[in-house]
C-alpha cells in the first residue's frame, strides 16, 4: 500500500468539520478508532482516510489509535473490553476477526460474542496473477496446467486470506506454496519466474499488468474492480467455491446499544459515499462500501464459515 501523510492537530487526531451536535446528543466528545497495525501501513492509511471523513460527517474528532501486534488481536481485545458507549470502535480485518479465531489452537475470543458488528468498510482489491511468460491466459488454462504438472509449480502468499483463496481455487490440484512476509517480495520472485501464481493487492497488480509483465486472471471482489475492469470475478467464471476475500469492517464492544449501533452504521455508510473519501480509497486499491449492522453481521458469518471450512478441508495449521 502507498503511504499517505496527514497533518493532524494532535498525534492521531483527525480534524472535525464545521457541523456541530447539541451537547446532549451522541456524539458529544471525540471518538477513538483502533487499528491493529502500525502507523504508515496499508490498514493504517485506510483507517485514517475513513476517520477524516467520519470526523467531518459527525462534527467530532476521530482519533486513530494504533495497537499493532498479534495479527490485530491486541487491538481487537482492547475494543472488546472497552465501555459500550459508541466512543471506542475497531477497524477490524479478516486477519483478527476470522483468521485468528479459526487458525489458532486456542482462539483469543469468540468474534460473535466479543464484538458488535456495525458496518463493513469494504474489501481489498485482490487479483490472481501469473507472470506474462507463463503460457496461460485464463483461470481454466492455469488449472489445466497445474493438473498436468502436479507439484511442479509454485504459488506465493503473504497472508492467510490469499493462501486460503489459493487453496479454494486449486482444490485437489497440487502446487508448492511459499509464504512471504510481504507482497512485494513475492511479486519480485513472480516477475523473476521462481513463482508462477499468487493473489496480490490492487496496489501492486495494476502497474505490472499495464506494463505487460504479469496477467491478472480473476479478482476476489464480488464485482469487477475499476483498477482492472477487464478482469472477471469468480462469480462470472463460475468459481462458486472461491469465497475468501480480504475485507475490513467496523466493530464495537459487546452490549453496544442498538440506537448507537444504527447511528454509527449510517454515518459510516455516508462517510464511505463521500466523494473525497471514495476517491482516496480507490487510489489505495480499496473498494469501500458500507452495510447495515444486520447485513454486515451476515457477511461476517459467511466469511467466517467459508474460512473455517477451508481450514478444516485442507488441514491448515497455525504457525
Amino acid at each position: 500500500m502507498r503511504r499517505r501523510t496527514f497533518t493532524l492537530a494532535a498525534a492521531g487526531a483527525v480534524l472535525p468539520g464545521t457541523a456541530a451536535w447539541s451537547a446532549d446528543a451522541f456524539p458529544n466528545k471525540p471518538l477513538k478508532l483502533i487499528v491493529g497495525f502500525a502507523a504508515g501501513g496499508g490498514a493504517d492509511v485506510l483507517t485514517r482516510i475513513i476517520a477524516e471523513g467520519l470526523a467531518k460527517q459527525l462534527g467530532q474528532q476521530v482519533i486513530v489509535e494504533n495497537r499493532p501486534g498479534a495479527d490485530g488481536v491486541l487491538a481487537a481485545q482492547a475494543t472488546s473490553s472497552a465501555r459500550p458507549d459508541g466512543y471506542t470502535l475497531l477497524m477490524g480485518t479478516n486477519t483478527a476477526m476470522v483468521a485468528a479465531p479459526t487458525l489458532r489452537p486456542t482462539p483469543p475470543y469468540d468474534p460473535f460474542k466479543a464484538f458488535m458488528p456495525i458496518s463493513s468498510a469494504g474489501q481489498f482489491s485482490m487479483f490472481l496473477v501469473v507472470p506474462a511468460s507463463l503460457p496461460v491466459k485464463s483461470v481454466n488454462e492455469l488449472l489445466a496446467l497445474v493438473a498436468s504438472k502436479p507439484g511442479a509449480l509454485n504459488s506465493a502468499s503473504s497472508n492467510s486470506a490469499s493462501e486460503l483463496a489459493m487453496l479454494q481455487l486449486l482444490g485437489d490440484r497440487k502446487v508448492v506454496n511459499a509464504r512471504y512476509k510481504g507482497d512485494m517480495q513475492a511479486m519480485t520472485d513472480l516477475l523473476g519466474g521462481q513463482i508462477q501464481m499468487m493473489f496480490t493487492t490492487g496496489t501492486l497488480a495494476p502497474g505490472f499488468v499495464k506494463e505487460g509483465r504479469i496477467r491478472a486472471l480473476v479478482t476476489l471482489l464480488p464485482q469487477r474492480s475499476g483498477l482492472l475492469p477487464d478482469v472477471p470475478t469468480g462469480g462470472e467464471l463460475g468459481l462458486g467455491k472461491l469465497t475468501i476475500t480480504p475485507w475490513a469492517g467496523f466493530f464495537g464492544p459487546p452490549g453496544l446499544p442498538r440506537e448507537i449501533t444504527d447511528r454509527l452504521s449510517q454515518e459510516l455508510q455516508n462517510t464511505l459515499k463521500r466523494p473525497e473519501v471514495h476517491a482516496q480509497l480507490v487510489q489505495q486499491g480499496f473498494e469501500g462500501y458500507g452495510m447495515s449492522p444486520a447485513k454486515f453481521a451476515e457477511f461476517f458469518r459467511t466469511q467466517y464459515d467459508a474460512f473455517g471450512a477451508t481450514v478444516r478441508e485442507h488441514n491448515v495449521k497455525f504457525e
Side-chain angles (χ1 to χ4, degrees), residues 6 19 67 85 99 131 154 200 231 236 277 293:
F6 290 103
R67 290 211 181 189
D85 57 6
N154 300 318
T200 192
V231 179
E236 290 179 271
V277 172

Side-chain angles (χ1 to χ4, degrees), residues 186-253:
M187 180 62 74
T188 298
D189 283 353
L190 184 120
L191 293 171
Q194 294 93 339
I195 299 295
Q196 286 75 49
M197 67 200 79
M198 65 180 285
F199 281 100
T200 192
T201 66
T203 303
L204 279 180
F208 291 117
V209 170
K210 291 171 184 176
E211 290 174 3
R213 301 179 67 185
I214 65 175
R215 295 191 189 95
L217 306 182
V218 66
T219 177
L220 291 181
L221 288 169
Q223 67 285 322
R224 292 196 181 203
S225 170
L227 297 171
L228 292 172
D230 293 333
V231 179
T233 67
E236 290 179 271
L237 298 180
L239 301 174
K241 290 185 176 181
L242 195 60
T243 56
I244 296 294
T245 187
W247 55 269
F250 301 99
F251 297 84

Side-chain angles (χ1 to χ4, degrees), residues 4-168:
R4 183 177 180 87
T5 302
F6 290 103
T7 301
L8 304 179
V14 180
L15 292 177
T18 58
W21 298 95
S22 60
D24 59 348
F26 173 86
N28 57 19
K29 64 180 181 178
L31 282 73
K32 180 167 61 177
L33 183 54
I34 303 178
V35 58
F37 301 92
D44 172 71
V45 170
L46 296 171
T47 301
R48 291 179 185 275
I49 291 171
I50 296 171
E52 185 177 39
L54 182 61
K56 294 176 181 177
Q57 193 72 29
L58 292 174
Q60 281 288 349
Q61 285 186 324
V62 178
I63 301 170
V64 176
E65 180 177 308
N66 299 91
R67 290 211 181 189
D71 292 331
V73 169
L74 299 181
Q77 290 175 326
T79 304
S80 180
S81 62
R83 183 178 178 181
D85 57 6
Y87 290 97
T88 301
L89 308 176
L90 172 70
M91 174 67 144
T93 69
N94 52 343
T95 302
M97 308 309 293
V98 173
T102 56
L103 284 173
R104 299 190 181 202
T106 304
Y109 37 68
D110 181 335
F112 302 103
K113 295 180 179 179
F115 306 95
M116 175 67 74
I118 298 173
S119 170
S120 62
Q123 295 176 312
F124 298 92
S125 298
M126 293 287 286
F127 301 93
L128 173 66
V129 299
V130 298
S133 58
L134 198 70
V136 299
K137 295 185 178 180
S138 70
V139 171
N140 284 338
E141 289 180 2
L142 176 63
L143 294 178
L145 180 64
V146 172
S148 70
K149 298 181 177 182
L153 302 179
N154 300 318
S155 66
S157 63
S158 62
N159 57 74
S160 55
S162 60
E163 186 170 342
L164 293 188
M166 186 67 73
L167 288 173
Q168 284 190 331

